[in-house]
Amino acid sequence: MDGRELVRSIKLFGSVRGMRAVRSAWRQRRTDARELAPRGPERARVPGPVMGAEPLPGGGTVRFARAELHVCVMVGGAVFWGWDGAEPLPSYALADEPPEPDPRAGLEPDTDGGWRVVSERVMVAVSRNGGIEVRTPGGVVLRRELPPRWWEPVAGGTARWVQRTEVSADARFFGLGGRGSGPRLRDGAYRLWNTDPGSAFGPGDDPLYVTMPVQLVVADAGTHLAFHDNSWDGRVILREGEEGAGSGHDRPGTSELRMDGGPLRCWVVTGTPARVLHSWTALSGAPVPPPSWALGPQHARWGFGSAREVRRVVAGYRERGLPLSALHLDIDHYDAHQVFTVDREHFPDLPGLAEELRAEGVRLVSIVDPAVKAEHGNEAYESGRAVGPAGAFVRDGRGHEVRGVVWPGECVYPDFTDPAVRDWWGGLYGERLAQGFAGVWHDMNEPVSFAPFGDKTLPRSARHQLEGRGGDHREAHNVYGLTMARAGYEGLRRLRPDERPFLFSRSGWAGMQRYGGTWSGDVATGWPGLRASLSLVLGLGLCGVPYSGPDVGGFDGSPSPELYLRWFQLGAYLPLFRTHAAIDAGRREPWEFGPEVLEHARAALGERERLRPYFVTLAQLARLTGAPYVRPVWWGAPEDRALRDCEDEFLLGDALLVAPVLERGTDRRAVRLPRGRWYDTVTEKAYEGPGQVLLDAPRSRIPVLARAGAVIPVRGEDGRPELEVWAPAAGRSGGGLVVRDPGDGPGEAEVERYTSRLVNGEVRVARVTDGGTVEPEWAVRVRGR
């Protein structure tokens, strides 16, 4: 570290905290140097030639000269393979036991000395050198895994490995968690290590808070998702392919995965995008729907500072007739930033404040950080030390508590990979509920330890329970936020079994949707940050995490009125609609940006509230099918190459297409339409797709189009739900799915199916039941005629 880094550290965190951060970083380096042996000389290994095979249900084991591969096709068509004894379990990503092997699939000899597994939905071929091909039932190759390579320390230790993959020349890559550049992932390296970037980020910053080895590949031949179930640090290097011109050869797209350790095992699911996400969430867990109120507009700021300021902001919404569902309190409401405490001077009666706001329809949501101040007398610290024989906190190889520096000062970190610690931590949320909070948002849980250099996290040698298996932070780091979310979710379920928990987390991993959602983290204020916001939501949805959204307006800096408005208009159509800002970044209330912005923001809020029944439906359908609320425009037509390359618009469910304004000074923008008829929801003018149209985008709104034939549940002018039906084209029919608001309890919701058709120039709508079709119970309003 040079002098400039020290000065930046002290300036950022204050003189005392800055010096503590420097000492913590040096301590981390010393610990790792002492407890992590250098790799030393390594021996490279490849599978070698095939030696034999043993058929098993769904597949079998193929033995090579220097490795062993187990491959299995499961019921439902998911493919699993693992090298050198790697099995599906244990896994933090899987929600339950893996599916049963497909009894109709088995291992059989293939040409040229290889082996293959043939099933109804997929074919897997294993070459004589250890390569693996995933093919359609017709034999078209979707994914070709080249033989892997391992590097094993001669003196013993964890092997690192590389897996190279080829896909078709026309394929496009998506996923890998929350990425600011995208949603289409272009040529480059993407790290798999959940990271607090340390400052507000833009599209060029990588990695960010949620990284996952979940890769969605879309090509003419089909769509598939590949998940390498390994939580170690790694890097994915992508290179899109290129089709040959004339008589030239195609250059395939390539993906190279390099991991520092851990098992080499992989899941692949194939099919349409809808089927792929359904299969993926069947493996990794159904997304938990948020309570219905959490689908409304929410407001946050780091720096409310007092109950008086909270009341002022809520009153500002009420006096201007603006809807508000929740208000979020950041760390400034804590006593000296210590989790599970309250600043009694500035919030003398927090339960009373929460009750007062709830009576006005506004819930309070609390931030919760994992770091616990290491101070005797601190209740959370003392109770954590009493958990089990060794206490609740992460320790080093010598048994000492690992300490870092976060907002409260010197802190310790709960080991959420220990079930007993999760149980203890979940019980602490009783204090939050007693204070009147209706939900929580997890922050700083990558986890973060302030440092002027190196990783801003725990030492890689720090010891974790890992469900009793034992291991270090190299394996536990990426699942830390996931296991914290599990602890919080399960604790809230126990404490209030009659309510669905509301929880979203800055960091997480594959399967985090089982416990809640996420948000962008500290996205930079600026037009690039606005574009990154959309990329993150789309990419996370394709990884199975449907509930997310950005800090509307950006986390740092002061947005211009135009930027704030365009961000606000985008946020109104995203699952988590929340304004938020840093303590020194100015306010984010709509009236702070002038009367014109206020009126246009009012319109956006009104449309969000009108569409609330549709968002409720999308949340429940995500639970049932895995389909994200926000989908790329190629969702229903992945074979359309023009749609695959379209990144600045999205589908909201099946019915709506949203084209946000992402550039300064824009009052018209091009909109790419999928096949079919689409109606501008303001002018009701019809446009035919596929193709591109130029639409008005005045300050007052962004272009939103409805699919012809769509049946959408909305809130009518009288506040009651009704069906908005967009006229189908002549000779065509339409429809939609509707889920009535189940409230905030854990009960199951019933899906209703509606059809629409044009009969003698009249639009007719019917509900489909087991006994036939019946008239809708809700009022019907037809548009687009």
Side-chain angles (χ1 to χ4, degrees), residues 417-677:
T417 69
D418 184 340
V421 175
R422 290 198 296 268
D423 185 69
W424 159 75
W425 184 263
L428 297 180
Y429 287 70
E431 182 273 341
R432 295 286 87 186
L433 297 179
Q435 297 295 342
F437 289 106
V440 296
W441 51 297
H442 289 172
D443 201 0
M444 309 293 284
N445 59 337
E446 289 70 36
V448 173
S449 175
F450 295 145
F453 54 88
D455 280 345
K456 298 176 176 62
T457 186
L458 305 187
R460 294 181 174 234
S461 58
R463 304 300 300 171
H464 291 263
Q465 284 290 323
L466 291 167
E467 316 306 316
R469 294 180 288 111
D472 60 39
H473 197 65
R474 292 174 296 179
E475 181 179 357
H477 174 84
N478 280 337
V479 299
Y480 191 88
L482 170 75
T483 51
M484 181 186 179
R486 178 179 178 180
Y489 177 80
E490 292 177 346
L492 291 169
R493 283 288 303 271
R494 290 194 305 271
L495 292 163
R496 287 201 177 158
D498 296 332
E499 295 184 11
R500 287 203 307 279
F502 178 52
L503 184 152
F504 61 103
S505 172
R506 190 171 81 171
S507 183
W509 202 61
M512 65 183 296
Q513 71 276 359
R514 301 192 295 265
Y515 314 116
T518 184
W519 92 103
S520 66
D522 300 345
V523 62
T525 297
W527 294 94
L530 172 59
R531 185 175 290 272
S533 296
L534 177 57
S535 299
L536 284 159
V537 175
L538 283 166
L540 286 162
L542 295 175
C543 292
V545 185
Y547 184 82
S548 66
D551 287 345
V552 168
F555 182 72
D556 68 330
S558 298
S560 68
E562 181 189 7
L563 173 60
Y564 174 82
L565 177 61
R566 293 310 196 185
W567 216 317
F568 200 88
Q569 290 168 334
L570 168 62
Y573 292 95
L574 299 180
L576 172 60
F577 180 21
R578 182 182 87 144
T579 58
H580 187 224
I583 195 168
D584 57 351
R587 302 184 184 279
R588 292 291 187 268
E589 295 87 351
W591 56 88
E592 297 289 344
F593 295 86
E596 180 188 12
V597 170
L598 173 60
E599 288 311 303
H600 298 335
R602 187 194 311 279
L605 285 166
E607 184 65 6
R608 173 63 175 232
E609 289 297 278
R610 195 181 75 87
L611 290 174
R612 182 84 75 90
Y614 187 46
F615 275 94
V616 169
T617 292
L618 295 178
Q620 294 295 331
L621 293 179
R623 176 182 65 84
L624 295 171
T625 69
Y629 313 27
V630 170
R631 308 164 188 178
V633 288
W634 47 258
W635 178 261
E639 71 283 354
D640 188 327
R641 295 190 180 189
L643 293 180
R644 289 209 297 261
D645 292 341
C646 181
E647 302 179 272
D648 61 352
E649 58 190 71
F650 60 91
L651 297 175
L652 182 61
D654 284 330
L656 297 178
L657 187 154
V658 182
V661 171
L662 304 177
E663 296 180 356
R664 179 189 294 110
T666 299
D667 59 7
R668 301 193 80 194
R669 62 150 293 171
V671 179
R672 176 70 60 179
L673 299 179
R675 183 177 301 278
R677 175 172 294 178

Side-chain angles (χ1 to χ4, degrees), residues 714-752:
V714 299
R715 185 175 289 171
E717 293 181 1
D718 59 0
R720 292 184 294 182
E722 66 180 26
L723 298 178
E724 181 174 274
V725 182
W726 290 88
R732 295 183 176 273
S733 60
L737 301 177
V738 175
V739 180
R740 302 190 186 216
D741 191 342
D744 298 335
E748 297 292 322
E750 180 184 355
V751 178
E752 301 174 3

Side-chain angles (χ1 to χ4, degrees), residues 213-228:
V214 178
Q215 185 181 100
L216 192 79
V217 183
V218 185
D220 289 353
T223 301
H224 73 272
L225 179 147
F227 167 57
H228 286 85

